[in-house]
Amino acid sequence: MPDEQESLFAAVDALLEEAAQDPLPHPDERKRLREAAGLSQDQIAKALSVRRETVTSWETGRTAPRAPKRAAYARLLEGLSTLHPLAAPAPEPTVDAVNTPAPEQAVTAQPPAPAPTVNAVNAPAPEPAAAPQTAPPTPAEAQTVNAVNAVNAPTPAHAAGAVPRTHPGSGVQPRSREAAGRGTAPQGHTSTPLEGNGPLVVLDGTDKAHAAHGLLLPLPPKARTDLPTLVAWALGPDADLRSPRLHRNGKDGDPLLVLTPAAAEALGLPPALEDRRTLRLPDNHPTLKLLAKAKWQLTRRGFGPWPRIYRPATPTTGRQCVQLAVLPWGALDARAWGEHTAELPAPELAALLTTYASRVLTPRGSTAVSGLELMTALRPPTRAARNPETNTWESAPVAGSLTRAVDPAPPEAPDEHPVVAALYPRAHQRTPDQVLDEEAYDWIRDPQLLTDAECARTHAVGIDVNMAFAAAANRLPVGIGPAVHSRAPRFDPKIPGCWLADLSSLELDPRLPSPFTPGGHPPTGPAWYATPTLAYAQELGHPVHATEAWLRPDHGPYLDAWYTRLRDAYVATMADLGVTSALPEPEFLAAMAELQEHPDPVLKPVLSAIKSTVKGGIGKLRERPQGAAYRPGEPWPALERPTWRPDIRAAVISTARVNMHRKMNKLAAAGLHPVAVLSDCAVYLSDGPSPLDFLPRTPEGKPLPGGFRLGVSPGMVKHEGTQSLLWAVEMLDQGLNPARHIKGHDAAADGE
């Protein structure tokens, strides 16, 4: 009995000792505090003398820190909680450009009366330096700020704490907010919980609107046929459409109304846009007259497939803006969302778009637009801060965010840019020593370099890197501010920018594409390179001596939060489709093949849109001028936004190409060389039809370290397609890229 009692006492003492340890916040709060301060897991790990993986385990709740690390970690979190408290129920005043919705980035439209941009493109991202946060303003102070500046304050439908209403006659009771927040994402996924009735509804021409989870919302009598009434309803408490901000300094999203052909017809909209050049309704259309009569306005892009309808914000009304998606006008591009997505029944379409909205962002235009908007929604350019001299609230920049438009360095600028027009005469063809050419691979091997052993194989097998551009953006330092010119600089792989250097003397295996050019051909002289490309040349043993550079000393991991959200969205959607990271390689390949044979009508379009958001968002960083009236050398609207950054695009693509070459180089050391590469799809000759038939293994049977690995995570690869050896050789003989057609239906492999 005494032994048993001593054992019980020991167990109790252990519990008391554990309870006496320094208290720690919930794992989710630990991550929030770190991100709010702009700190990386590597920084935390270095400060506490632990591995980064250990910090990850603490933030996911898998493990808890032990003494003496626990006390130090608790002290850090306590300090961060003081600097970055949880947002109060009523949002802090944020200063928005012109009190009106920011025009869609994709179309580069600006609001009617231009004003200094503060919070026009709200996004998140933790500020690298933890800036002290002042207390939220009182209602009277907030009203004063809102009266002077534009407000991002939520509409009545967005008010915090609103309770979903019961909708008589709908046949479906609205779900609680807790139930709405439970999606199909795996535990730990960072999807945004739904609030109210969700962020959007799909209208099918009836007197009901289809919301998330099969919810039917009754429309007011006139809303089915009168657009001003419909817009007012969408902003009101009966609709209760809410899209919460993704960052405490950001702004709530606008309600989205998706119009099917029947709904568009009932509202008096034509079945197609006659003006195919501008893709907008004419100014004299009756619908626009109705909106103007009701005091509603449109952004400069007009009434097209993705119009924004708003009223200027006031201290009493706050932000009033509604986004429309007109399906018969091509709002859901088949290349991004799938061929028949726009034709889905309204309930399925509502489920599909709500899933995308909760995991990525409420759609605000094309997936390219949404990709760009997501960057700024996760890293807002400004925040509300109290001026100590005047004791008033005003806009302040958020450290680590893109806060203003900056000119590109001359090598980074596209040919149409005014910077180029000022340096070179019109029609001048810039040479590699005058322009930065960081693009994705498009390379084929010379058929004469095929060996006898390769020609004895039977198949050509394509493998494709998952989310290659997103993976390249992870922890990538990019420029925040303008470029600074430097003569004969010492190369520093930690500083983003572009460098003029000569890499033509580096000997490379001709059976591999050169890592320095998109075409895979070795450079022939001096050329401009982004930092990741030159860093890889140095990694390969080449001494790097730059003669000139445009560098960005103000830099940071701007795309980290963007990558994380899109990665989580991709992995969660793949898990919903039955493809998880726990699957062994043969089962992974089988699950992917099954997915191709029997695609899910709702989740497969979501997956396609997520991948398109990555690719399109990176592409929009260097949006070219549009329209037949444009003349080279003139500025175009996209240049006015802080997220027009061709240097960031170049850094991402450079990193993706270097990552691809690094893996191919590992396989080459094992005797395997590709015959073609397109972006992030590589084609290898194999003795069998599966990637498992040629991917090299270690003596223990594991994938070759540093090479391609099969799996679902970004940066890992999947099976792209298989064709016969003869087919591949014929393509090479004709100068065609087998990677472009390896799927078997002439669909280019874009890697995304």
Side-chain angles (χ1 to χ4, degrees), residues 160-405:
V163 179
R165 299 169 61 91
T166 302
H167 305 277
S170 68
V172 182
Q173 292 298 316
R175 289 159 171 77
S176 68
R177 185 173 304 151
E178 290 75 19
R182 290 194 295 266
T184 53
Q187 186 177 6
H189 174 60
T190 57
S191 61
T192 305
L194 298 182
E195 293 186 359
N197 293 324
L200 59 90
V201 292
V202 178
L203 305 171
D204 58 0
T206 66
D207 59 354
K208 299 288 192 302
H210 298 263
H213 304 301
L215 181 63
L216 288 174
L217 307 178
L219 296 175
K222 289 181 58 180
R224 189 176 70 87
T225 57
D226 183 76
L227 188 55
T229 303
L230 178 63
V231 170
W233 169 82
L235 292 170
D238 289 334
D240 198 18
L241 301 179
R242 287 185 258 153
S243 182
R245 65 190 65 188
L246 300 182
H247 186 277
R248 65 190 305 267
N249 291 320
K251 63 187 177 192
D252 296 338
D254 302 316
L256 171 63
L257 304 178
V258 182
L259 306 182
T260 63
E265 181 182 4
L267 290 168
L269 301 177
L273 290 172
E274 296 181 2
D275 189 342
R276 304 307 302 169
R277 186 178 66 86
T278 62
L279 289 178
R280 65 175 64 182
L281 282 180
D283 294 339
N284 60 355
H285 192 276
T287 298
L288 302 189
K289 294 180 180 179
L290 282 175
L291 290 172
K293 185 178 179 180
K295 308 300 183 184
W296 291 104
Q297 300 180 26
L298 297 170
T299 55
R300 272 176 44 186
R301 72 169 305 184
F303 201 109
W306 287 92
R308 286 188 183 181
I309 302 172
Y310 73 96
R311 282 177 179 156
T314 68
T316 55
T317 63
R319 181 181 176 87
Q320 290 184 296
C321 178
V322 173
Q323 179 82 62
L324 268 61
V326 188
L327 298 187
W329 297 352
L332 298 182
D333 191 332
R335 293 168 296 181
W337 294 92
E339 292 184 7
H340 305 294
T341 299
E343 304 166 7
L344 288 174
E348 291 186 16
L349 190 57
L352 187 160
L353 294 175
T354 300
T355 301
Y356 178 88
S358 66
R359 294 182 177 179
V360 181
L361 184 79
T362 302
R364 302 179 184 179
S366 67
T367 49
V369 172
S370 296
L372 203 65
E373 291 266 5
L374 181 63
M375 293 179 193
T376 47
L378 291 170
R379 284 193 179 271
T382 59
R383 60 185 176 88
R386 189 187 292 276
N387 187 323
E389 297 180 358
T390 62
N391 200 33
T392 59
W393 289 91
E394 58 186 33
S395 174
V398 174
S401 294
L402 304 181
T403 59
R404 62 188 178 91

Side-chain angles (χ1 to χ4, degrees), residues 143 149 246 417 487 499 537 591:
Q143 186 172 6
N149 303 299
L246 300 182
H417 198 279
R487 292 283 183 185
W499 314 69

